[in-house]
Amino acid sequence: MITSIHKVNDPKINRKLLTPLIDLIVNIDSNSSKKEFKNEINNFLLDNNFDTPGRNYFLSSKQIYSINEKEGVAVCVQTGHFGMMFYDLFKLEYLYKKEFIDNAIIICPTLYTKFYQNNVTTFEKIIEETEDFKDQINVPILTIGVE
């Protein structure tokens, strides 16, 4: 697992939430399928007062993976086509500008994971794009790359 932080040196993400999430990611069985991986993270989020993944927000048809408004954090698990990465980044930015969230977490594969396929969002691609668009993407993001 590798991590990167966009916009801040220390995102204000509650350590009581972040530490068990990172422990979960590190300890997910390496033989898990992409679906099993996402299901384990879904279950963790639901157990930690995140709304149902995929719930619509801000009275529109837009969806974000999962959000905990009390903690001010949204989580995206991005294992799909890299074109969807931009859509998620802009949804996170919208939530940030509307003050629904203070921070975001993006969980995705690295180039070296078994989940990697051509055109899939990767940790490396998210870091590259958030740096390229640093003046447009203001939401503090902790990106977690799964190896």
Side-chain angles (χ1 to χ4, degrees), residues 16-102:
K16 290 180 181 176
L17 174 70
L18 188 57
T19 301
L21 176 60
I22 289 174
D23 288 344
L24 171 74
I25 292 167
V26 167
N27 291 307
I28 289 177
D29 185 351
S30 61
N31 294 318
S32 295
S33 68
K34 191 171 16 174
K35 182 177 180 178
E36 291 167 331
F37 174 79
K38 288 179 99 171
N39 284 340
E40 288 204 42
I41 293 173
N42 276 348
N43 291 335
F44 172 87
L45 295 173
L46 291 172
D47 290 344
N48 284 276
N49 301 315
F50 279 77
D51 287 335
T52 304
R55 179 182 157 222
N56 290 340
Y57 283 93
F58 37 85
L59 302 173
S60 76
S61 62
K62 307 298 185 264
Q63 295 180 343
I64 198 68
Y65 194 73
S66 198
I67 188 171
N68 182 322
E69 289 186 65
K70 180 183 172 203
E71 296 294 339
V73 64
V75 177
C76 288
V77 179
Q78 182 55 262
T79 59
H81 191 277
F82 71 83
M84 295 305 293
M85 169 191 65
F86 294 102
Y87 188 51
D88 283 345
L89 287 171
F90 286 108
K91 288 187 288 185
L92 292 171
E93 183 66 16
Y94 180 89
L95 289 170
Y96 179 71
K97 285 185 176 180
K98 294 294 184 180
E99 298 181 354
F100 283 100
I101 63 170
D102 302 311

Side-chain angles (χ1 to χ4, degrees), residues 6 86 124-137:
H6 172 72
F86 294 102
E124 295 79 6
K125 186 70 172 166
I126 289 176
I127 301 312
E128 176 185 327
E129 298 302 334
T130 53
E131 182 59 28
D132 287 348
F133 293 101
K134 65 184 172 203
D135 293 335
Q136 289 75 33
I137 301 170

Side-chain angles (χ1 to χ4, degrees), residues 135-146:
D135 293 335
Q136 289 75 33
I137 301 170
N138 296 298
V139 59
I141 301 171
L142 171 63
T143 304
I144 302 172
V146 179

